[in-house]
Amino acid sequence: MFSREEASRIRRDFWTTFGQYLRPIPGAEGGKVNWVNYKTGFRKLHFRMDVDREQAYIGIVFMQKDDDLRQLFYEQMEELRPVFHATMEEEWTWVQQAETADGQPFSHVFTTLTGVNIFRADDWPDIIAFLKPRILLLDEFWSLARYHFDLLEEY
């Protein structure tokens, strides 16, 4: 078992390593990208990556507080589903209504890699091999798809 400080340091070291590994890779539009804290350009629409003791997660998360607006964002994403899956070259899980641990509603489209643990350094190559191609493909997808959400940003 790790102390809180040690666990925090290990997580920070992993994300620093991951960020350094991806830093030289330009985005789909040729610019520099902060891959760990990817900016979608829309409030409450995030690309999230997380790793814990059981799995690695990557997804598009819709956190709009207004249920109707979140629904519109999710429906717009569903319209892009064939393009999304063609770009990602795999099927992801789609969840229209979910809640965070503290009861905040959200929607998300995601995939996971189970059986990995951020606290096992030997798992880091597998985690990076899982996250890296998916965040790059998400960026490729988003470079085209983001414009389909422009009208919703006005709300």
Side-chain angles (χ1 to χ4, degrees), residues 14 18 21-22 51 56 58 90 113 116 122-137:
F14 171 79
F18 183 73
Y21 184 69
L22 290 177
V51 185
I58 184 168
E90 65 184 4
L113 172 66
V116 293
D122 291 347
D123 285 354
W124 287 14
D126 293 334
I127 296 167
I128 291 170
F130 170 74
L131 294 175
K132 176 190 172 190
R134 286 165 181 83
I135 192 67
L136 295 175
L137 288 172

Side-chain angles (χ1 to χ4, degrees), residues 64-76 96-97 105 107 152 155:
Q64 295 81 7
K65 291 184 184 204
D66 180 279
D67 290 337
D68 293 334
L69 181 58
R70 188 175 57 259
Q71 176 72 22
L72 287 172
F73 269 92
Y74 186 82
E75 287 172 0
Q76 188 65 39
Q96 188 171 2
Q97 295 181 349
S107 302
L152 297 177
Y155 293 101

